Amino acid sequence: MSLMRKMLLAASTNAWLRDRATKTAFVRRSVSRFMPGEQVDDALRAAAELNLHGITTILTKLGENLMRVEEAEQVTLHYLDVLDRISATGVEAQISVKPTQLGLDLDRALCERNLDRLIARAEQRNNFVWIDMEASTYVDATLDLFRRSRAKTARIGIALQAYLYRTEKDVESLVPLGAAIRIVKGAYLEPPDVAFPKKSDVDANYYKLCTRLLAPDARKPGALLHIATHDIPLAGRLADYITQHKVPASAYEFAMLYGIQRNQQERLAREGKRLRVLISYGEYWFPWYMRRLAERPANVWFVVRTMFG
Ligand SMILES: Cc1cc2nc3c(=O)[nH]c(=O)nc-3n(C[C@H](O)[C@H](O)[C@H](O)COP(=O)(O)OP(=O)(O)OC[C@H]3O[C@@H](n4cnc5c(N)ncnc54)[C@H](O)[C@@H]3O)c2cc1C
């Protein structure tokens, strides 16, 4: 892992930096590249705009590791309202939540109850809830949450990270369920005893996990693979695999983040591929933004250029 990536990921959890950076005009300006705005209305507008180009979306409110039960309640009420508003406006959007936003650090039972409320509303509104994967210490609890919810509804999916050694086994354990799974490379700072330190190993594992989930025996009712990456050569190799193995279009979607590889997003849509763009919004953007910078050191130069006008 590069030194720059390590430094940015370490900075993502620094409260002193967060308090200063979020008040700095040039940082706020550079964040707007990855985020249409801080309010859900900004995200809904961006989603409607993408829908016009044949691109579907996922909305996620930024914020993690909440410290108070009332905050988890507010987040849950917020997402319930978002599900209602998506339904009322007819925008093609799902939602994605972090377990620690729903209170996982505070009380596991509370987090489960909050997630239950969201999946019940998603059932009513004909929608879908994704569970983000956070740092490796949360994987067991997040998988438990997912399995519990999947027993009640197929309107739920989970993100799994290709950089973790354990993910191959986790994928195998979820195949019999017919799970909707978003494969990502992984965005957190993890030690070498839990995650591949070399990018080439992460990329190789990513391909392996996706092809496993595209195999005929993994195609069960409710199963769906999200190929969530901006790595165009890797996505291209998976597209070749899909063509060669005649994988049905209903088995997978591509997924990318708002503002990243926009020209590639448009290309996929033009080619008639199913693409979902994850749109983040909210005031608590600092750790998330640091993770986006860490993914591509050139982004830091973009911030510096913004600073000088
Ligand atoms: C839909 C979606 C959901 C996600 N959910 C989660 C989650 O739940 N948990 C989690 O840990 N991670 C999540 N991630 C983030 C993911 O783990 C990676 O950190 C991120 O996607 C970068 O990896 P990559 O696959 O794009 O490949 P990389 O090899 O990192 O990047 C490939 C190329 O894409 C471009 N690129 C990548 N990132 C950026 C960027 N920030 N700015 C500009 N260009 C960039 C660059 O050209 C780069 O060379 C999600 C990503 C997506 C797309």
Side-chain angles (χ1 to χ4, degrees):
M1 190 192 287
S2 78
L3 183 63
M4 174 79 98
R5 177 155 193 260
K6 268 193 191 140
M7 280 165 52
L8 288 163
L9 288 178
S12 73
T13 54
N14 185 303
W16 184 87
L17 269 180
R18 182 192 64 219
D19 290 345
R20 269 141 202 87
T22 48
K23 293 188 186 98
T24 312
F26 79 85
V27 178
R28 294 180 72 89
R29 266 204 312 279
S30 46
V31 172
S32 63
R33 182 184 178 205
F34 299 116
M35 197 173 90
E38 291 187 353
Q39 306 306 318
V40 65
D41 285 331
D42 301 317
L44 283 167
R45 257 195 306 277
E49 174 69 23
L50 286 165
N51 287 175
L52 291 177
H53 297 273
I55 299 172
T56 56
T57 59
I58 306 174
L59 308 189
T60 192
K61 182 175 165 61
L62 297 170
E64 50 206 90
N65 301 108
L66 302 184
M67 302 304 286
R68 291 187 301 120
V69 170
E70 301 77 50
E71 289 177 298
E73 175 63 17
Q74 273 166 19
V75 171
T76 309
L77 290 175
H78 173 83
Y79 278 124
L80 290 171
D81 181 51
V82 172
L83 287 167
D84 289 346
R85 293 182 60 179
I86 290 171
S87 165
T89 53
V91 169
E92 223 315 328
Q94 302 174 339
I95 62 166
S96 198
V97 298
K98 287 190 182 0
T100 65
Q101 276 187 308
L102 301 182
L104 183 62
D105 286 331
L106 306 167
D107 173 359
R108 179 112 158 222
L110 169 85
C111 178
E112 287 175 6
R113 282 198 302 278
N114 286 339
L115 186 59
D116 280 349
R117 290 158 75 192
L118 296 184
I119 58 176
R121 188 65 59 91
E123 281 283 351
Q124 272 173 16
R125 299 292 184 215
N126 203 12
N127 208 319
F128 195 92
V129 178
W130 287 94
I131 309 180
D132 285 355
M133 188 58 79
E134 302 176 75
S136 60
T137 43
Y138 293 110
V139 177
D140 282 323
T142 306
L143 280 166
D144 283 352
L145 271 176
F146 173 73
R147 287 200 178 91
R148 210 183 141 270
S149 304
R150 181 65 184 82
K152 297 178 186 164
T153 178
R155 294 182 178 279
I156 186 135
I158 185 168
L160 295 178
Q161 298 151 325
Y163 64 11
L164 297 183
Y165 303 124
R166 62 171 288 169
T167 300
E168 188 175 356
K169 263 204 189 139
D170 291 335
V171 160
E172 212 49 60
S173 76
L174 292 179
V175 162
L177 288 184
I181 299 181
R182 170 203 300 166
I183 298 289
V184 299
K185 288 195 187 175
Y188 296 82
L189 186 57
E190 298 291 356
D193 57 326
V194 298
F196 294 101
K198 273 174 59 190
K199 179 171 158 44
S200 55
D201 291 332
V202 178
D203 294 354
N205 200 37
Y206 192 103
Y207 183 83
K208 190 171 173 188
L209 297 171
C210 287
T211 50
R212 175 66 191 100
L213 287 166
L214 292 168
D217 70 313
R219 289 182 222 147
K220 301 202 159 55
L224 174 71
L225 169 64
H226 263 194
I227 303 172
T229 182
H230 314 98
D231 186 334
I232 303 306
L234 179 56
R237 284 206 296 132
L238 285 163
D240 291 345
Y241 177 95
I242 285 164
T243 311
Q244 278 159 21
H245 293 81
K246 300 189 170 55
V247 179
S250 56
Y252 68 95
E253 287 183 350
F254 290 97
M256 293 193 192
L257 301 179
Y258 179 87
I260 300 183
Q261 302 279 33
R262 281 181 197 223
N263 53 348
Q264 296 294 339
Q265 295 184 7
E266 284 162 16
R267 176 186 61 81
L268 286 169
R270 268 199 313 277
E271 289 173 359
K273 301 259 168 42
R274 298 204 301 165
L275 168 69
R276 270 197 192 268
V277 166
L278 189 147
I279 304 172
S280 300
Y281 62 93
E283 287 150 25
Y284 191 76
W285 44 258
F286 180 75
W288 163 86
Y289 181 54
M290 285 291 121
R291 292 198 290 271
R292 300 291 82 80
L293 293 185
E295 281 155 7
R296 193 165 180 248
N299 286 340
V300 176
W301 298 115
F302 176 79
V303 180
V304 174
R305 280 206 308 275
T306 314
M307 179 163 72
F308 292 108

